[in-house]
Amino acid sequence: MAKQLILYFSNTGHTQAVAQKIAAVTGAQLVALQAEQPYTAADLDWHDATSRTSLETNDSTSRPGIVVPDKRLIAQADTIFLGSPLWWGQVPRVINTLLETGLFRCKDVRQFCTSGSTPIAKSTATLKTAYPAINWGPSRRFTTAITGQEVEAWLKAGNQ
C-alpha cells in the first residue's frame, strides 16, 4: 500500500481544516509546516503593502525559513498532499523554501490550497515550471466547506 503524507502550512486554520478532511478520507498522516519566524496578524495584512507577506510575495527570490519536517517521513511517502493558502495567486514563499530542499524530487505531489476566490491554476503552473523534478498530480482549491465526496473526486482524478 502506498504511503501518503499531508504537509500543510496554515496561519488562520482554513488550510488545516481542509488538510484534516483530506486525512479523514485518505488516512494519510498530517504534518503541520511551521515558518521559522511565525507570521503575526500584522504580517498577514494583505491591505498593507509593507506587511511581511506583501513584501515576500513581491520578491520572487524571498525564501523565508521553514522548520523542515522529519525528512524520513517525506522519504517514506509515495504521495504527498501539499497544502497552503494562496497569497496573491501563489503559494507562500515558505513553500518554495521547502520545495527547494530537494526532498520532493521524483515524489508524487498533489497541491491543494485554500482561497475564497483565487483559482489555483496560476500557482500550479508556476510550481510545475519551477520544480520540474517533482511529479505533480492534479491540484485543487478547496474552501473549508469541503466534503468527503469532493476529496474522493479529487483523488480519483489522479487515477484516471
Side-chain angles (χ1 to χ4, degrees), residues 62-119:
S62 177
R63 296 297 182 265
I66 192 165
V67 178
V68 177
D70 185 339
K71 293 177 183 179
R72 292 173 297 175
L73 290 175
I74 297 170
Q76 294 168 357
D78 298 308
T79 301
I80 298 169
F81 298 93
L82 181 61
S84 70
L86 284 185
W87 293 347
W88 295 271
Q90 59 191 330
V91 295
R93 298 289 185 203
V94 293
I95 298 297
N96 297 95
T97 303
L98 180 65
L99 293 173
E100 289 175 8
T101 63
L103 294 170
F104 293 78
R105 190 173 202 66
C106 299
K107 294 285 183 186
D108 291 329
V109 176
R110 287 180 165 217
Q111 177 198 12
F112 68 94
C113 73
T114 53
S115 173
S117 61
T118 304

Side-chain angles (χ1 to χ4, degrees), residues 8-17 19 32-34 83-85 87 114:
Y8 68 92
F9 179 70
S10 185
N11 286 295
T12 61
H14 294 126
T15 305
Q16 178 180 6
L33 299 169
Q34 303 293 324
S84 70
W87 293 347
T114 53

Side-chain angles (χ1 to χ4, degrees), residues 143-159:
T143 66
T144 53
I146 179 178
T147 66
Q149 291 85 0
E150 287 176 288
V151 173
E152 289 170 4
W154 178 48
L155 296 175
K156 287 179 186 171
N159 298 324

